[in-house]
């Protein structure tokens, strides 16, 4: 190994030193925080779905559940494919013939986000909802434009005017009084607003738990072992057959050793990343990130395109003594879309972080990531 005695002269660092240097330097990159992440606890599982089973959450009619001037519906879903043709599955609906409905329909072999906001003549399609992958979907209307979002990316927009449709039917999650086609899959963290959430507002809160009333928030159904609305009092009840609460098992004492595609940090946090170059929101990811050859107990690196071109650094920090939380930090040298999934195997909680394509990836400094301290 060549060294020069003068300070600052060229030198070849040992491999572990280079890794440590890069891990530390990456944390200095990025300014604004990336989106914080969804604290998945429990969710509602619908299966096997229509036509084998028909189960749903039914919420009694209330005028507030019919926003007429501005509208936002959002939820996390992980749905299996519809069966054939243009078969559709209901995520939520208040009678699509008169009022509104949000669901997924199979078109040309792709599961596509569909919405009705002004009765049965108001169909709009746009945005691929990946199969069997946790995905945040949203539909908004601001008085002149309806928009579809997939994981915080605008997937489609449609010019139209209000007012929106209304009806006296109950609100159903996983069904609709006019389309009782229950999905096969999972639904979590359902929110209904009487305002049009902007792209920035959706990204800033799509993964952040809401625990109190917010301006414009009509209803929040976390589906965390309850069908109650925690902000608006529009409580629901399970109906039919099939739906049940589910969640990550938790209680696993150690995530084991890091592998070629998965980091195990601090023995508790299992980390994976998936990247995409296709600009179409919801498009399948190009591949799974690979672990670079120098992970340590609390941090590690991923590469996307080649082993000598590292893209993302992730570290887990025990902040229990400071704020009773385990922290997740990451920094990247890329501008492609990626999703970073962190699973706390002991607590059974997951976080999903997104980087959006275009500008350089901002840093993640999530000091509230996991409320899983002893």
């Amino acid at each position: 190994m060549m060294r020069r005695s003068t300070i600052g002269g060229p030198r070849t660092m040992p491999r572990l030193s280079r890794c440590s240097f890069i891990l530390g330097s990456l944390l200095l990159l990025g300014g604004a925080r990336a989106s914080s992440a969804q604290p998945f606890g429990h969710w509602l599982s619908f299966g096997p779905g229509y036509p084998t089973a028909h189960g749903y959450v039914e919420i009694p009619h209330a005028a507030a559940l019919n926003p007429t001037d501005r509208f936002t519906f959002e939820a996390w879903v992980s749905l299996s494919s519809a069966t054939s043709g243009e078969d559709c599955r209901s995520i939520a609906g208040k009678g699509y013939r008169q009022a509104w409905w949000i669901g997924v329909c199979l078109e040309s072999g792709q599961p596509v986000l569909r919405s009705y906001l002004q009765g049965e003549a108001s169909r709009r399609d746009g945005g691929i909802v990946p199969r069997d992958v946790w995905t945040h979907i949203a539909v908004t209307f601001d008085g002149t434009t309806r928009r579809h979002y997939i994981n915080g990316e605008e997937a489609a927009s449609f010019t139209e005017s209000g007012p929106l449709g209304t009806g006296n039917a109950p609100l159903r999650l996983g069904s609709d009084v006019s389309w009782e086609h229950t999905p096969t899959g999972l639904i979590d963290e359902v929110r209904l607003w009487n305002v049009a959430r902007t792209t920035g507002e959706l990204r800033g809160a799509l993964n952040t738990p809401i625990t109190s009333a917010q301006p414009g928030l009509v209803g929040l159904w976390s589906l965390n072992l309850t069908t109650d609305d925690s902000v608006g009092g529009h409580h629901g009840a399970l109906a039919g057959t099939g739906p049940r609460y589910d969640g990550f098992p938790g209680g696993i004492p150690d995530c084991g050793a890091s592998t070629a595609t998965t980091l195990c940090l601090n023995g508790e946090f299992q980390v994976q990343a998936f990247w995409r170059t296709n600009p179409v929101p919801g498009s399948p990811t190009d591949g799974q990130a690979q672990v670079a050859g120098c992970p340590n107990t609390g941090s590690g690196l991923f590469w996307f395109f080649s082993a000598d071109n590292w893209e993302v650094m992730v570290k887990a920090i025990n902040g229990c003594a400071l704020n009773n939380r385990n922290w997740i930090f990451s920094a990247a040298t890329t501008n492609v879309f990626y999703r970073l999934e962190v699973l706390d195997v002991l607590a059974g909680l997951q976080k999903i972080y997104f980087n959006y394509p275009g500008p350089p990836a901002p840093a993640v400094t999530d000091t509230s990531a996991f409320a899983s301290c002893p």
Side-chain angles (χ1 to χ4, degrees), residues 219-233:
L220 167 61
W221 298 270
S222 67
L223 303 179
N224 192 15
L225 301 179
T226 179
T227 55
D228 285 353
D229 168 11
S230 60
V231 300

Side-chain angles (χ1 to χ4, degrees), residues 140 228 324:
T140 71
D228 285 353
N324 204 35

Side-chain angles (χ1 to χ4, degrees), residues 195-218:
V195 295
R197 303 278 282 173
T198 66
T199 300
E201 289 171 335
L202 288 171
R203 290 181 179 182
L206 85 168
N207 300 321
T208 302
I210 295 177
T211 57
S212 60
Q214 305 288 319
L217 183 58
V218 174

Side-chain angles (χ1 to χ4, degrees), residues 7-98:
I7 296 175
R11 65 181 63 189
T12 302
M13 291 185 290
R15 180 171 179 80
L16 287 178
S17 297
R18 287 203 304 272
C19 288
S20 300
F21 173 78
I22 293 171
L23 286 168
S25 298
L26 277 169
L27 277 180
L28 300 178
L29 297 175
R33 289 177 55 180
S35 294
S36 56
Q38 168 69 36
F40 292 121
H42 290 83
W43 52 78
L44 202 57
S45 176
F46 298 85
Y50 179 88
T52 304
H54 177 222
Y56 51 91
V57 176
E58 182 156 299
I59 300 153
H61 163 72
L65 301 177
N66 285 322
T68 56
D69 298 322
R70 304 289 188 272
F71 178 96
T72 298
F73 174 89
E74 55 180 316
W76 282 87
V77 301
S78 176
L79 305 180
S80 298
S81 174
T83 54
S84 62
E86 286 193 84
D87 200 4
C88 297
R89 295 292 182 264
S90 297
I91 295 173
K94 204 172 181 303
Y96 89 90
R97 297 186 187 279
Q98 290 80 35

Side-chain angles (χ1 to χ4, degrees), residues 77-210:
V77 301
S78 176
L79 305 180
S80 298
S81 174
T83 54
S84 62
E86 286 193 84
D87 200 4
C88 297
R89 295 292 182 264
S90 297
I91 295 173
K94 204 172 181 303
Y96 89 90
R97 297 186 187 279
Q98 290 80 35
W100 60 270
W101 179 92
I102 312 294
V104 173
C105 300
L106 197 65
E107 292 195 340
S108 301
Q110 295 278 22
V112 173
L113 182 63
R114 177 174 294 179
S115 67
Y116 293 81
L117 296 187
Q118 296 172 303
E120 60 184 323
S122 64
R123 165 182 161 178
R124 298 289 185 270
D125 295 333
I128 299 170
V129 182
R131 296 179 178 93
D132 301 309
V133 175
W134 276 115
T135 303
H136 182 270
I137 60 101
V139 175
T140 71
F141 174 70
D142 63 7
T144 60
T145 306
R146 187 192 313 189
R147 292 180 171 87
H148 287 190
Y149 290 87
I150 304 294
N151 289 328
E153 293 183 277
E154 184 177 320
S157 63
F158 315 92
T159 300
E160 56 190 64
S161 59
L164 303 182
T166 62
N168 295 326
L171 170 60
R172 288 183 178 179
L173 308 182
S175 181
D176 181 78
V177 294
S178 300
W179 193 258
E180 296 183 330
H181 287 216
T182 300
T184 299
L186 318 172
I187 299 178
D188 193 26
E189 197 69 19
V190 177
R191 302 170 183 176
L192 177 66
W193 307 74
N194 61 16
V195 295
R197 303 278 282 173
T198 66
T199 300
E201 289 171 335
L202 288 171
R203 290 181 179 182
L206 85 168
N207 300 321
T208 302
I210 295 177

